[in-house]
Structures are given as structure tokens and as C-alpha cells.
Amino acid sequence: MKKALLILFIMLTALVPGYTESSVGLELPDEYVLEFRYENPDAQQVNIAGPFQGWDTEKTPMTLEEGVWVYRMDVQPGDTITFKYVVDGEYLSTMEGLAPATTEDGYGGKNGVVAVADLVPSGKDEDIFRSKITFGTYTQVYSNTEFLTSSIAPDVEGNTLRGLETDFSDLVTKSYWKLTADILPGISTFLEIKAFDGSVNLYKQVPDASADPDNLLDPEVTVVDGLENLGSAFFAPFHAFNGNALPELGHFKAGLKTGIVDLSTGYKYAKSDQSTRELLFKTFTNESSANDGYLELANGSQIRELADGITLDVLLGLTKREGGHGMYSWIDLGLADYTVSLLYNTLANRLDGNPLRYYFFDAKHTLGLGVTAPIVKDMLTLKFEGLTTIDAATAFDAAEGFVVGLSGDFNAGDVFKTGFYAKWAGNNVTTLFGENDTLSSGTFKAGVSPSTKPVDLFQFGLNYDLETDHLFAGTLVNKFNPYLNLYLASALGLDATVNGYAKMELASEFSLTEAGGSVAVAELSDSIASLGAGYGYTAADAQPHAVYANARLVNLASALPTLDFDLGWKGDDITFITRAGIAETVQTSLSMIGRLDEGQTSPFGAALGGAITLPESLRAGVVFMQLGYDFSPFSGKENAAVEFEDNFVKNLGGEGRGFMSFGIVWNF
């Protein structure tokens, strides 16, 4: 009977345009156009990144169509696309609610996942639950060889040795497997397995040649030894490539959502993703460090909206982390546009014995109250939060165990807007499960940040911060940060901006700590996408002055879609970087550095990098290569990306060493 029904179903679907009869199912088109749509009215620029384009934050910009950011790409029925939006140069921390499915990104957030097959009409009964498993991995295999570019020790006769000689050569392997699954309706799980993470030594010189000058040329691991190491590794690869240890469960999560109660638990996590929250102080964060685990209960989606304009969010979590057993909890009550938040955290100081007993006799407790109030709709919003910490093992000191903060935003449009805040914190207050840097224990801080843009031509603003100790007995530190932005499109007909800023400090005396300015021109012509230049001054640096210039050329040829030039001078270092995108899938870079300080033994360095993105059918793996001589500008040995920070090359080291690295990386 089932077979007859299936044949009838297939015959009926042959009448649908675009589909034909088949003995096994439906014949679907070879390709589809997948459209991504993202609404964010505050974003100035949105890009989409993923393995399909090498996780490049600038390579694939989305276009603004009727107020919605849109990107389209050709896909095949079996493709699974992993992606994340890049808003104004920054990755979104999580894609929850923005993608059909998500998977862990390895940094505490979540990537979006789209399985094309799930979007294609199947004609089957949609009431049947189908468990779905999404597989992701971060896997890299590469060879890493380093050599010395100058001698490190003389031999017994005074001759220098070890210059331009191989120092070591390793085969580095790393593979983490991620499985996200919907097992049953409302039941989901996530597994991360460390398949292997280690290296095999193929060659190694003695670690300190000067310690044994008579045997400078005798390696610690010979090439023959290295080949034997590699050969024996293939008898038990998951053991050998994992540092002679077995694969292990890295992270584990499981959840049950019933609509009334949501339950989640995890291993090697302190809390779940939903316990990431911040009012004025980061009292809850998603900590994925090595913790024993957690168990959370929260009210489900069906009982979060109690009535029109009234919402309730409740969470209770138990966790065992380094330092002791703990509990964290909060209640958020929404009344129209107002929100009242209550929280209670406790953390035992010891792990041994009965943790419940330690909650009362050897534990810390933090209680908090927070309020968000829109005083004037769309114009003035205030936030208040207070926390107090009580240590059951010591006497309570209200002056030292309390923190209070008030912040607000006033927005009268471009003509005038400002933010303001004030925070007072004793020495002993702690969030227990958050980031105490937002508390600034033992201080009083206040600030205001007014800005105005009366015309389209310019914007002026000032960030002012005041800081002293919480007893108001120390030095009063005043920090001023004025800035000016000029928008020259209306005046010159160019998409050009000029920015300038300064940072000053007034304590016992006045000082200029930072200053800088920049000019940027976009879309100067069909081939000149952008030009930029800037100057920076940082008083704390030994060489305080820095200058940069950059340019991006596009569409120079069909096989050369992008070409970037970056020139920087910072202190005693001058860098020149050129990067080229070739045929959309190849990225290359040539980096050079000149070091001007006296006595420099490596006055010049250079590096060459290249990466090829494989087709989506091979899950967009990236084959890379990097070579360097006295200069290592890359973000790591596992890729060929030159790392920039504030328009300057971030990594300027590498003196005295050369390197060669090549391999392949998958990240989806």
C-alpha cells in the first residue's frame, strides 16, 4: 500500500511545473538563487561572511533595497551554507533568530546555517517531524617550518653557526567536530568533539645551541626520526595527532522546550547562551571556559506574555565552576516600555563537601535591582541598576559591598543627542558570574557624551569622563575626547569624510594622551573604490607618531576584482602591504617592513601569503601558504590573512626568524 501511494504521489507531482516524474523522487533544478535579507535601520554597512568566501568581512557586501539589506548567491540543492552578518565592520555575536538554524562558532557565539534542501518544497506531509542534524567543523592540517636568519652562537673556534639553518619543522593538525541536532519536537542538542589537536615533530635542532658548542649541528630530532614519527602516527592517527591522547568530548549542550518550561544543560559551559545579558553591569555572560557544567530552567514562550504589554522572563541556573558550586537567577518584568529586573547570584567558595551548606556559611551572594524607563518616548531613556555583595564568611560592609549606576540617552535627532552615566562601586562588590571590569570596583565614574550634527556637512562631539576613588579622597581625573567629522559629499560632490580627534587628561596636571585625524574618499571612480590617509599620536608610546595611507582598486580586470595597498609608518617601523583578490576565490598578499632603529640586526623583512577557497561542494575549504623572512604579519600560522588594527599592521615581529607554512583549513 505504501509503495502504491508513493508512486501515485510521484505521478501527481509530475504535473507541477518544473518537476518531472522519477523512479526515486522529484527532479529538482540544478541551481537556486538563495536570498539573504536582514533588517537593521541603524547599520551603515552590512556584509555577509562565511566559508563560501573565506570569512572575509569585506568581500561580499549586502545591498540596501527598500530599507532591507539583501545578498543573493547561486546554490545547489545539496548545499549547506554557514554564514554570519558583519555590521559596520563587526561580526554579530549570534545569529539566533536570524537564520533557519545555528551552530556554535567556537568563540562563544553562533553562526547561521541554511540547508538549501530544507527550503525546497518536498510535497511531503509537513506534519511529520523530521530530525535534523547539522555538522560543522574547524579542521586544519598544515606544515610549519621555521629557520634562523642570523647566527645564535659561535663554535669553539669563534665561527658563527646556525644562521639560515632550519630550526624545526612540524606537521600541525587540529580538528573539532560540531553536531547540532533537533532530536524530537522541542528537544535539541549540541556536541563538540575534539577529534585531535596536536603536532608531529618532523625535525628539530637543539633548543639552545650555545649550551653545547661542540654539537651545534647535531639535531635533537633528525629527518629520519621525523619520518618515523609520521609513519607510526598513521597506525593510530586520532591518538598520535592528538598529542598521544584519546579524542574527547569538548562541549555538550542539550535542551528541552515545551512552551511552558525550557530546560537546558551543558558540559564544559558555565551557562547557556540566553544567560548573556547586560543592563549597566555585565552580571551574566556566556562563559565557555573549562567548567563542569550547568542546569537551567526558564519559563517557556507560551507564558512569557502574561497580558497585553506585560511580559515575564524567569531563569534559574545551577552551575559548578572553578571555585565552587553556584546558582544564578533573575526575573525580568516588562510593563509596556518599562522593565524591572531582579537578580540573585551565589557562589560557594569551596567545591568539597556539601555545596548547599557552603551557600550559607562559606559563599558570596550578590543581589541586584535594575529598571529601564523611557521617560520621554523616543527621546529620553533612563537605566538604573544597583548590586550588593554579601560574603557569608565576613562581616557585611555596606560601603564596600555595594555598586549603583545610572545611565541615560537623550535623542533630539541630529541636532543634539547625548548619553550620560554615573557609577559608584565599593571594593568588595562582584557580579560572581559576570565581568567585574564593568563594575570598576573601588571607584566613582561619571561621564557625558554630547554630539551635534546641525547640518549634513559636519558633526561635533565630546566624550567627557570623570574618575576618582569611591571615598572621594583621591586624585580627580578628568578625561576629554573631542572629535569632529566632516562629510563633504554635499560640498564637493565626493563621498569623502574627514575625521579628527584628541584625548586629553587633567589630573594633577594637564596632558595630551592621544590625537589623530584621517581622510577617506569612497567611489572616486569605477576602478578606485576608496582612498584613505591618517595620522596618529600616542604619548605613551616610545615612538608616538604614526602615519598610514591605503587604497582599494576594483574591477581592474575580470581576473583581478580587488587590489589593496596599505602603507604605514609607526615608530621605527615602515610597512607596505599589497593584497590582491584573483577570480573571486584567490587571495594573495605581499608584505614588507623596514626597521629604522639603530642596532637592528633585521632591518628588512618580507612575507608572502596566498589562499584559495575551494568550491562549496568541498565545503569551501581554504588552501593557504605563507612565507616569511624577518617579518610575520599574519594573524596565525594556520592562515594567510594579514592582521590590521586601526589601519596599521598589528603584528610587526619576526626578527631573526624565517618561516614557511602551508596547508588546508575547513571552518563551517
Side-chain angles (χ1 to χ4, degrees):
M1 177 61 70
K2 290 183 179 180
K3 181 176 180 180
L5 289 175
L6 177 61
I7 295 174
L8 177 60
F9 171 76
I10 295 173
M11 293 177 63
L12 289 174
T13 55
L15 302 177
V16 180
Y19 296 86
T20 59
E21 184 176 350
S22 168
S23 59
V24 295
L26 303 178
E27 181 180 327
L28 301 175
D30 293 334
E31 288 189 350
Y32 296 91
V33 175
L34 184 61
E35 181 178 276
F36 298 85
R37 299 176 64 85
Y38 173 60
E39 293 188 42
N40 186 340
D42 297 326
Q44 301 299 313
Q45 177 63 52
V46 179
N47 292 53
I48 187 170
F52 58 89
Q53 46 85 273
W55 289 107
D56 190 317
T57 58
E58 300 178 351
K59 188 175 181 180
T60 46
M62 303 180 76
T63 58
L64 192 59
E65 300 179 4
E66 298 181 352
V68 179
W69 296 94
V70 178
Y71 178 76
R72 299 176 180 88
M73 63 183 296
D74 293 332
V75 294
Q76 297 181 351
D79 289 347
T80 297
I81 309 300
T82 302
F83 71 101
K84 185 171 280 191
Y85 294 134
V86 183
V87 180
D88 296 331
E90 300 290 337
Y91 281 111
L92 294 181
S93 60
T94 181
M95 293 296 293
E96 285 280 6
L98 300 175
T102 58
T103 185
E104 304 288 328
D105 63 4
Y107 302 97
K110 289 192 175 184
N111 294 325
V113 178
V114 178
V116 177
D118 292 344
L119 304 180
V120 177
S122 65
K124 297 181 180 180
D125 187 356
E126 296 300 327
D127 293 333
I128 300 176
F129 177 81
R130 299 173 180 83
S131 61
K132 181 172 62 178
I133 298 177
T134 301
F135 175 79
T137 185
Y138 181 81
T139 296
Q140 60 182 32
V141 179
Y142 66 93
S143 170
N144 181 35
T145 300
E146 292 193 9
F147 56 90
L148 302 174
T149 61
S150 59
S151 61
I152 65 169
D155 65 8
V156 292
E157 298 178 354
N159 300 313
T160 58
L161 295 173
R162 295 288 310 280
L164 291 176
E165 292 185 11
T166 301
D167 194 23
F168 67 86
S169 182
D170 293 334
L171 179 63
V172 182
T173 59
K174 178 184 292 186
S175 186
Y176 288 80
W177 297 0
K178 300 172 288 186
L179 297 173
T180 304
D182 295 325
I183 303 174
L184 291 172
I187 301 179
S188 62
T189 188
F190 167 78
L191 296 173
E192 181 186 87
I193 300 171
K194 184 175 80 169
F196 47 81
D197 189 349
S199 62
V200 174
N201 200 222
L202 303 179
Y203 177 84
K204 185 179 182 181
Q205 254 295 357
V206 291
D208 185 2
S210 61
D212 189 8
D214 294 326
N215 297 292
L216 289 177
L217 301 180
D218 294 336
E220 184 177 311
V221 178
T222 66
V223 174
V224 174
D225 294 336
L227 293 176
E228 289 180 351
N229 291 340
L230 182 61
S232 63
F234 287 104
F235 284 82
F238 283 88
H239 184 265
F241 291 123
N242 195 37
N244 293 321
L246 295 175
E248 64 181 52
L249 179 65
H251 299 295
F252 168 78
K253 288 182 181 180
L256 170 64
K257 293 185 178 182
T258 66
I260 304 299
V261 176
D262 292 350
L263 182 148
S264 63
T265 185
Y267 164 70
K268 282 197 174 181
Y269 281 97
K271 292 177 295 298
S272 71
D273 298 315
Q274 66 178 339
S275 54
T276 300
R277 66 197 295 271
E278 177 181 7
L279 190 58
L280 292 181
F281 312 113
K282 290 183 179 178
T283 50
F284 295 92
T285 55
N286 178 33
E287 302 172 37
S288 56
S289 55
N291 293 279
D292 287 339
Y294 72 90
L295 173 67
E296 283 184 3
L297 289 171
N299 60 321
S301 58
Q302 296 180 14
I303 58 173
R304 287 178 185 161
E305 186 169 349
L306 304 181
D308 188 21
I310 302 177
T311 60
L312 179 67
D313 284 292
V314 180
L315 184 137
L316 171 66
L318 305 175
T319 184
K320 184 179 178 183
R321 54 178 289 181
E322 184 178 356
H325 294 74
M327 181 179 75
Y328 51 95
S329 60
W330 76 75
I331 298 174
D332 285 348
L333 178 63
L335 302 171
D337 295 328
Y338 295 81
T339 303
V340 178
S341 300
L342 301 173
L343 69 92
Y344 170 60
N345 296 344
T346 179
L347 182 64
N349 293 324
R350 294 187 292 173
L351 278 170
D352 58 307
N354 187 340
L356 293 178
R357 180 183 306 161
Y358 295 150
Y359 283 161
F360 301 97
F361 298 105
D362 194 3
K364 291 184 176 69
H365 309 265
T366 294
L367 299 92
L369 168 66
V371 178
T372 300
I375 305 301
V376 181
K377 186 174 178 61
D378 299 328
M379 181 174 289
L380 177 61
T381 300
L382 296 180
K383 293 181 180 180
F384 165 84
E385 186 170 22
L387 303 175
T388 184
T389 298
I390 302 172
D391 192 336
T394 61
F396 175 67
D397 186 343
E400 298 296 339
F402 189 71
V403 60
V404 63
L406 176 69
S407 73
D409 293 290
F410 177 80
N411 189 345
D414 289 339
V415 176
F416 181 78
K417 61 181 64 175
T418 186
F420 52 90
Y421 75 93
K423 296 180 181 180
W424 183 94
N427 278 314
N428 298 332
V429 68
T430 174
T431 66
L432 297 181
F433 293 97
E435 298 182 18
N436 288 318
D437 57 346
T438 61
L439 297 179
S440 301
S441 299
T443 66
F444 170 77
K445 290 184 176 182
V448 63
S449 54
S451 68
T452 180
K453 188 180 179 184
V455 294
D456 291 337
L457 182 62
F458 76 91
Q459 178 188 25
F460 173 76
L462 171 68
N463 298 319
Y464 168 71
D465 297 280
L466 175 151
E467 180 177 344
T468 187
D469 68 283
H470 69 301
L471 300 178
F472 302 98
T475 302
L476 185 66
V477 179
N478 300 271
K479 298 180 180 180
F480 305 89
N481 171 212
Y483 61 90
L484 175 67
N485 302 323
L486 299 179
Y487 307 97
L488 306 179
S490 58
L492 302 179
L494 292 175
D495 186 0
T497 58
V498 178
N499 304 311
Y501 78 96
K503 292 185 178 181
M504 299 164 284
E505 188 171 300
L506 176 61
S508 56
E509 60 182 23
F510 179 83
S511 62
L512 176 66
T513 57
E514 284 187 40
S518 64
V519 57
V521 182
E523 299 180 358
L524 194 61
S525 68
D526 291 340
S527 58
I528 304 177
S530 64
L531 295 174
Y535 163 79
Y537 167 82
T538 305
D541 290 351
Q543 301 290 334
H545 303 284
V547 178
Y548 74 88
N550 53 49
R552 164 163 280 202
L553 307 181
V554 296
N555 303 321
L556 299 178
S558 59
L560 189 63
T562 61
L563 185 62
D564 292 271
F565 299 95
D566 294 272
L567 178 65
W569 169 54
K570 195 171 187 180
D572 291 325
D573 300 313
I574 297 177
T575 57
F576 175 74
I577 314 292
T578 178
R579 295 168 291 162
I582 303 174
E584 299 291 342
T585 60
V586 180
Q587 300 291 323
T588 63
S589 65
L590 172 63
S591 308
M592 294 180 285
I593 188 171
R595 302 183 177 95
L596 307 180
D597 55 320
E598 296 181 4
Q600 175 59 253
T601 59
S602 303
F604 173 80
L608 179 67
I612 302 174
T613 302
L614 300 178
E616 189 64 37
S617 59
L618 297 175
R619 300 311 299 264
V622 177
V623 179
F624 70 92
M625 176 275 298
Q626 55 175 249
L627 302 172
Y629 182 88
D630 284 337
F631 188 29
S632 181
F634 305 105
S635 59
K637 291 295 180 64
E638 71 279 1
N639 59 58
V642 178
E643 189 168 8
F644 288 84
E645 184 175 62
D646 297 330
N647 293 292
F648 293 95
V649 178
K650 183 176 181 180
N651 303 315
L652 300 175
E655 302 96 321
R657 304 191 71 84
F659 60 89
M660 176 177 63
S661 180
F662 60 89
I664 187 168
V665 174
W666 279 278
N667 184 11
F668 59 88

